[in-house]
């Protein structure tokens, strides 16, 4: 029988790609992650993408949250939490574990699990351990779900300041003097571990910066001017990470540069300079996020200096096998040499954060930046690549 004259059903419009924005997490940077998620949710083009906000509570529960970016802001000098945004105190979101399915399921005790639909790409805006460090990236690789940002190895390298520096050194990038105290060293002989730091200070001078090796947002960092403040600084760093990193102070200007993955490879933004904050000993957590100490964009550098730091930022991106985005932080020393301090594979990403500001000055708006990152993730397969 011919079907030519039968009425035709209208074609269904193509489904928009679905973006799961995952935020919060178990690290000490939980609150900043929520703030970042609010900015990303506000910027995503809803005519182009469907959006599913998923928050991870501080105890690790994956919660379905309200899509209300206005509730994800710093208020009265306090960061928000996933617990305040969760639609239920008990329900949990489960990602697929079968690469053949991208169906996300929500369940509550005593209720039938509810399918939330397929997810095409995850935009993880978690900072610190249990999210930015390769752990979430490994889960998404197992699930076969594309995601924004670097893969397992680059995320792990970008989170651990010791191994980050080792990778950079092996690729010929200059890093400043540092010493590492591992948990076992501290547990077996506190005096020997402490002497290791004191000897380092004797060689490189005070002040020193004592840091958690695997934390970010300047959390847990102490500038130590002399021996009297050392023990307290070590204890503060160990509150966030049992492995600590001690760095010699570098005299120079703080310069940052953003790297973004384009279709033809990574490119660097115009750089920014972080001037010494008036009310803070250095560019710490409160200076960055609470008092919003402004950076200078673009940095007042010569054309040669600008070209050099942009080249080095891309070199750092490539050295760590990064994908998507990176913020690379440098010191421009008094003798005119750039020394790389660290990279962030998921840098602060609110509109006032330095990474979006640098790209804004380079000609890419915040919403376009978010869209480019999603598109880069959709182009990239999971698995070995």
């Amino acid at each position: 029988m011919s079907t030519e004259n039968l009425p035709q059903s209208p074609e269904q419009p193509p489904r928009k790609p679905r973006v799961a924005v995952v935020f919060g997490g178990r690290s000490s940077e939980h609150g900043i992650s929520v703030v970042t998620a609010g900015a990303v949710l506000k910027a995503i083009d809803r005519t182009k993408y469907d959006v599913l906000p998923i928050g991870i509570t501080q105890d690790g529960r994956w919660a379905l949250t309200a899509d209300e970016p206005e509730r994800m802001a710093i208020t009265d000098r306090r960061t928000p939490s996933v617990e305040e945004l969760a639609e239920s105190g008990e329900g949990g979101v489960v990602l697929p574990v079968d690469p053949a399915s991208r169906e996300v399921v929500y369940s509550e005790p005593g209720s039938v699990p509810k399918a939330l639909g397929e997810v095409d790409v995850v935009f993880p805006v978690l900072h610190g351990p249990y999210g930015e460090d390769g752990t979430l990236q490994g889960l998404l690789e197992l699930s076969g779900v594309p995601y924004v940002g670097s893969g397992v190895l680059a995320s792990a390298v970008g989170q651990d300041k010791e191994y980050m520096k080792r990778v950079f050194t092996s690729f010929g990038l200059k890093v400043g003097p540092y010493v590492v105290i591992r948990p076992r060293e501290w547990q077996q002989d506190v005096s020997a571990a402490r002497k290791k730091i004191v000897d380092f200070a004797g060689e490189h001078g005070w002040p020193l910066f004592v840091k958690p090796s695997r934390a970010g947002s300047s959390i847990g960092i102490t500038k130590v001017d002399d021996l009297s403040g050392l023990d307290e600084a070590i204890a503060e760093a160990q509150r966030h990470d049992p492995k600590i990193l001690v760095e010699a102070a570098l005299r120079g200007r703080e310069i940052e540069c953003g790297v973004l993955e384009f279709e033809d490879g990574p490119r660097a933004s115009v750089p920014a300079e972080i001037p010494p904050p008036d009310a803070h000993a250095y560019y710490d957590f409160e200076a960055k996020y609470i008092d919003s100490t402004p950076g200078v964009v673009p940095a007042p550098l010569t054309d040669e200096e600008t070209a050099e730091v942009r080249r080095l930022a891309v070199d750092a991106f490539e050295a760590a096998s990064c994908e998507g985005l990176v913020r690379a932080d440098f010191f421009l020393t008094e003798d005119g040499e750039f020394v790389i301090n660290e990279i962030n594979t998921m840098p602060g990403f609110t509109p006032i954060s330095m990474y979006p500001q640098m790209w804004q000055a380079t000609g890419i708006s915040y919403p376009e930046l978010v869209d480019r990152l999603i598109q880069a993730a959709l182009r990239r397969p999971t698995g070995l690549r």
Side-chain angles (χ1 to χ4, degrees), residues 179-183 185-186 193 196-197 242-246:
V179 66
V180 176
I181 304 296
R182 291 182 170 78
E185 292 180 82
W186 194 259
K196 187 176 175 181
I197 300 173
K243 182 167 83 167
I244 66 171
L245 185 87
V246 181

Side-chain angles (χ1 to χ4, degrees), residues 280-299:
H280 302 269
Y282 61 98
Y283 193 46
D284 62 6
F285 177 86
E286 291 212 348
K288 283 181 182 178
Y289 297 109
I290 305 300
D291 296 328
S292 301
T293 301
V296 180
V297 188

Side-chain angles (χ1 to χ4, degrees), residues 78-359:
R78 190 183 68 83
T79 56
S81 70
V82 169
E83 285 79 356
E84 298 166 351
L85 300 163
E87 293 190 351
S88 165
E90 296 182 314
V93 175
V94 180
L95 286 180
V97 293
D98 179 0
S101 169
R102 294 180 181 175
E103 189 85 23
V104 176
V105 174
Y106 176 75
S107 62
E108 292 191 26
S111 300
V112 176
K114 178 174 67 175
L116 298 178
E118 290 192 347
V119 166
D120 298 288
V121 62
V122 170
F123 199 134
V125 292
L126 295 119
H127 302 302
Y130 314 112
E132 190 183 349
D133 59 348
T135 51
L136 177 63
Q137 290 74 16
L139 174 63
L140 295 173
E141 292 285 353
L142 289 171
S143 301
V145 180
Y147 54 92
V148 169
S150 289
V152 176
L153 174 65
S155 297
V157 167
Q159 188 63 45
D160 191 313
K161 295 178 177 63
E162 176 196 0
Y163 287 99
M164 181 197 309
K165 292 176 187 292
R166 290 181 181 273
V167 168
F168 289 156
T169 300
S170 72
F171 276 82
L173 293 162
K174 186 172 179 59
V175 304
Y178 68 96
V179 66
V180 176
I181 304 296
R182 291 182 170 78
R184 188 175 293 111
E185 292 180 82
W186 194 259
Q187 293 160 5
Q188 290 179 346
D189 193 335
V190 171
S191 297
R194 191 173 183 276
K195 183 179 184 299
K196 187 176 175 181
I197 300 173
V198 173
D199 290 346
F200 178 79
E203 181 180 357
H204 297 285
W206 301 91
L208 302 176
F209 285 90
V210 179
K211 304 180 175 184
S213 184
R214 296 162 292 191
S217 297
S218 298
I219 290 173
I221 298 177
T222 306
K223 180 183 179 184
V224 183
D225 293 313
D226 53 46
L227 194 59
S228 65
L230 183 59
D231 289 344
E232 185 177 347
I234 292 170
E236 172 59 20
Q238 288 176 332
R239 284 183 56 236
H240 304 277
D241 186 351
K243 182 167 83 167
I244 66 171
L245 185 87
V246 181
E247 294 176 336
L250 292 177
R251 308 273 193 273
R253 299 160 62 187
E254 291 192 49
I255 306 295
E256 298 184 347
C257 193
V259 181
L260 178 64
E261 181 183 345
F262 287 74
E263 290 84 351
D264 60 351
R267 302 182 201 171
S269 70
V270 300
E273 180 168 6
I274 308 300
D278 294 334
H280 302 269
Y282 61 98
Y283 193 46
D284 62 6
F285 177 86
E286 291 212 348
K288 283 181 182 178
Y289 297 109
I290 305 300
D291 296 328
S292 301
T293 301
V296 180
V297 188
L301 301 169
T302 67
D303 290 345
E304 292 78 12
E305 289 169 338
T306 296
E308 176 69 358
V309 75
R310 293 177 83 169
R311 180 186 70 80
L312 290 171
V314 172
D315 285 352
F317 183 97
E318 297 282 40
S321 298
C322 295
E323 295 168 296
L325 72 164
V326 150
R327 193 192 72 230
D329 301 346
F330 298 85
F331 289 101
L332 176 56
T333 63
E334 294 170 347
D335 60 4
E337 185 174 37
F338 282 104
V339 176
I340 189 163
N341 184 38
E342 66 180 33
I343 57 170
N344 280 266
T345 55
M346 183 50 70
F349 207 82
T350 68
I352 65 167
S353 298
M354 294 312 304
Y355 184 86
Q357 284 194 52
M358 289 186 286
W359 280 108

Side-chain angles (χ1 to χ4, degrees), residues 54-68:
I54 299 174
I56 301 177
T57 65
Q58 289 163 321
D59 62 3
R61 179 173 62 90
W62 289 50
L64 193 61
T65 67
D67 186 4
E68 299 176 4

